[in-house]
Amino acid sequence: MLNPLVGLLCLLLSSVALAERHHIVIADTQLQTQIDGDLSDPLWQHATVVDLTLQNDPGENTPAPVRTTAKVIANAETLYVAFIAEDPDPSRIRAQLTDRDKIWGDDLVGIKLDTWDQARLAYQFFVNPYGVQLDSIENELTGRESEAWDGIWQSAGQITASGYQVEIALPLRLFSFNDRLDEQRWGIELVRFYPRENQYRLSATPVSRNQSCRLCQMGLATGLAGAKPGQQLQLTPSLALSRHESRPTPDDEWRRDDSVEPALDLRWAITPDTLLNATINPDFSQVEADSGQLDVNTTFALYYPEKRPFYLDNADYFETLRNLINTRNLASPEYGTKITGQRGKHLFGLLQTKDEKTNFLVPGNLSSSIAELGQSSDNFAARYLYDSTASWSLGSIASFRSSKDYQNSVVGLDGQWEITAQNKIKALYVRSETRYPDFLRDQFCGGDTPCDQPDKVECSFGDCDYNEQVLRLPVGETLKGDLLRVALYHNSRHLFGYANYERIDEAFRADLGFIDQVDFAKGAIGGGYIWYPQDHFFHKIQLGGDVDRSENIAGEKLEEEIEFSGFVAGRNELFVELYGGLREIAGRRQDASNLALKDNAPMFDETWLGLYGELRPVKPLKFGANIRIGDDIDYANNQLGEVFQINGWVNWKPHASISLNASHIHRTLDVPGGQLFAADLSDLRLHWQFTVRAFIRMTAIYTQLERDPALYRYNRVDRHSERLSAELLYGYKVNPQTVFYLGYGEGQFSDDEFRDLSSDSRTLFAKFSYAWLL
């Protein structure tokens, strides 16, 4: 008798939730308008008017502190949105004339759209008072927002005597949706960010903190009768020209390499819900330098995000609980094709690429390194997801890489079940098969010097030292392994918690992804409590912690850890977090020829404490710092040391068109006998935006490392090393794909032999691309 009553209760609750869903009827028109920020055009007189009366944060659906009016209307080709954002003191409006996707922290208005109304993915479009754009895709499965996606749409803004107003035009060709419906039903939310003494989030749609799914709480938009996205065809030819000069040392002659790289991208909406992307020689001339990272006293490979438009378009379709498709691994693709789409409850994606270089990770449980195959490979990925729209989804994923004497295949299943509004479970199971070419281990042999172990590993050029990567590259074997991850999450208004278990076999490889650790099993459980003080300087207080333990597949302990953290968030964007923990963790193996941990890798007890804080004391300035002290393993000498690290950063906007972002990391490690090293990394970025389209940017990344060679027992190191990378770039950007760049970059270094910074690379480059919409 109980089950029918529970079912009836759930049905009633869902009916109540549906009835309370904020509903917007999008007005229809035959008119068009010029997007210039002027709302006096006749089109806006017929638009649906929506008032943003609620404050979602820091209050929970309390009255909005300022008035915001949105207007929504559409014709057969375009969805138009306008905002009138009133302000009692327009002089306090935060707005920066800057490059697109760089406006978080400004006053913003925008719209979120779930064109399938399935609470899985949502397009987001935001604009600041100068009309500068930010677009992204929110993924409910991963909980992440990807600003890497770029659409071609129009916007304009004006600051007025009573606030500011914005116009937005979103071509329907941007979206995939079911055009067979007589009337569209889209998830929608109209949003304003109002940063003053607090960072207020205003909306017309109530958002409950007692429900973990955010996209499930979007409002409902109906209308767009007979809307057709059209078979959009976009051709984007580009040409990249560069002259690169390099030399190993200042005493060597410069070696010059001139390059002319034409490329072509195609984007074609074959049907309203199926998108074809194709590329020939996709451009990898990055105009946004990767953020600097300290690569000292680390044992695992560093991760860098994707930046190429071809791979970014609908990249969310391939996401799972683990990064199984990391297209940054495709270092030098010759060509590629991709098909992504959605048919009702069915989502799919296919990706094929020919890669000239073929790079991938060789992972272990204590370290990982990048291997370079040195030959071309064929690469393929496939994704399918069935989204029931009834709180559960089930999918599959596969990837394949192959070339002469090498292959890697990955096939698996994943799913998600929203048990209640506060509880969900996610799972992923994947199996892989891998065969490496015999010569690959030569990259990790470390030379032909005989090692100190009684047995020597054979490489093609002779005997060499052991390391984990050599042992993870068996000769003449096919590796077969599994990955399993199961995670349970609870998120309610005041309580949050999670429990997860992950196991990755020693023979598992995902060479098209970024899985940098294998041969381990880990269990973790954690949670905490959140307070939301009302009418107080602090508007959020959180305490939490977790415990975890990881072992290798043989059951030997890798790590056991207890962590805690607590933070407060308040006015003036104040955020202060205290964190720390205790950990027992394995160091480096003493016998490198043996992958065992027991009686081989010493266990170290670490204790650490950290403090992070950030604040915006005045409108143009925001800064923050992170300090960490405690124990840290000296991996070079396999001993415990004491680490001190401070990361500081500042964002300063002295003028509406000028911004300065600077950060610095200082890290020291003290060991018995003295200071092993002191490392510093500075990252400086100065941006001057002349207009919405044109800018100049200067980037400089400086790294300095001072070491005491006498404290390195097993390795010979330089006492001093420096590197400076600088770039000056002019850009003119009509839209994300129609661009012109002209830049100059130079790299300098110094070491014990060459004490003064000397140039070892310099590059002059230009790029032009143009997007034709046919």
Side-chain angles (χ1 to χ4, degrees), residues 65-67 85-93 161-164 192 194 196:
V66 290
R67 184 177 180 183
E86 298 186 10
D87 197 307
D89 185 1
S91 66
R92 299 184 65 192
I93 290 174
S162 59
Y164 68 95
R192 177 182 180 183
Y194 178 63
R196 296 299 180 269

Side-chain angles (χ1 to χ4, degrees), residues 689-735:
Q689 191 84 23
F690 308 119
T691 68
V692 173
R693 295 182 175 181
F695 65 85
I696 286 180
R697 181 167 63 232
M698 187 274 287
T699 302
I701 301 175
Y702 173 74
T703 306
Q704 177 176 310
L705 182 60
E706 301 290 342
R707 293 185 281 200
D708 186 347
L711 298 178
Y712 285 79
R713 297 193 293 254
Y714 308 113
N715 307 96
R716 188 173 63 184
V717 299
D718 282 334
R719 180 178 296 274
H720 165 84
S721 63
E722 286 179 282
R723 174 153 291 279
L724 173 64
S725 300
E727 181 182 275
L728 183 65
L729 177 75
Y730 169 79
Y732 187 85
K733 184 181 295 187
V734 178
N735 58 52

Side-chain angles (χ1 to χ4, degrees), residues 541-662:
I541 303 172
Q542 178 176 307
L543 292 176
D546 63 26
V547 296
D548 62 71
R549 177 185 172 92
S550 59
E551 303 173 343
N552 67 3
I553 298 304
E556 300 169 316
K557 182 166 38 175
L558 280 163
E559 178 182 313
E560 197 167 64
E561 184 177 58
I562 300 175
E563 292 182 289
F564 74 89
S565 66
F567 72 77
V568 294
R571 295 178 183 174
N572 298 324
E573 299 183 36
L574 173 69
F575 181 89
V576 179
E577 180 181 21
L578 179 67
Y579 61 92
L582 307 170
R583 174 168 59 191
E584 186 181 15
I585 183 172
R588 226 174 62 176
R589 294 177 177 88
Q590 295 171 330
D591 179 359
S593 67
N594 188 350
L595 288 175
L597 299 175
K598 187 177 181 181
D599 301 324
N600 189 23
M603 300 299 296
F604 296 102
D605 293 319
E606 294 181 342
T607 303
W608 73 92
L609 190 66
L611 179 67
Y612 175 79
E614 60 182 58
L615 178 69
R616 187 186 295 274
V618 292
K619 182 171 72 171
L621 181 67
K622 187 174 182 179
F623 57 84
N626 183 34
I627 301 174
R628 184 181 184 272
I629 58 174
D631 303 313
D632 197 20
I633 297 176
D634 164 19
Y635 287 104
N637 302 291
N638 219 17
Q639 61 184 341
L640 196 63
E642 294 183 1
V643 67
F644 172 77
Q645 178 169 313
I646 180 168
N647 305 12
W649 57 268
V650 60
N651 297 335
W652 183 38
K653 301 177 179 179
H655 187 270
S657 61
I658 298 175
S659 62
L660 173 69
N661 296 319

Side-chain angles (χ1 to χ4, degrees), residues 99 287 695 697 729-733 736 739-743 765-768:
D99 198 6
V287 296
F695 65 85
R697 181 167 63 232
L729 177 75
Y730 169 79
Y732 187 85
K733 184 181 295 187
V739 298
F740 171 72
Y741 296 115
L742 178 64
F765 62 92
K767 176 187 174 182
F768 173 77

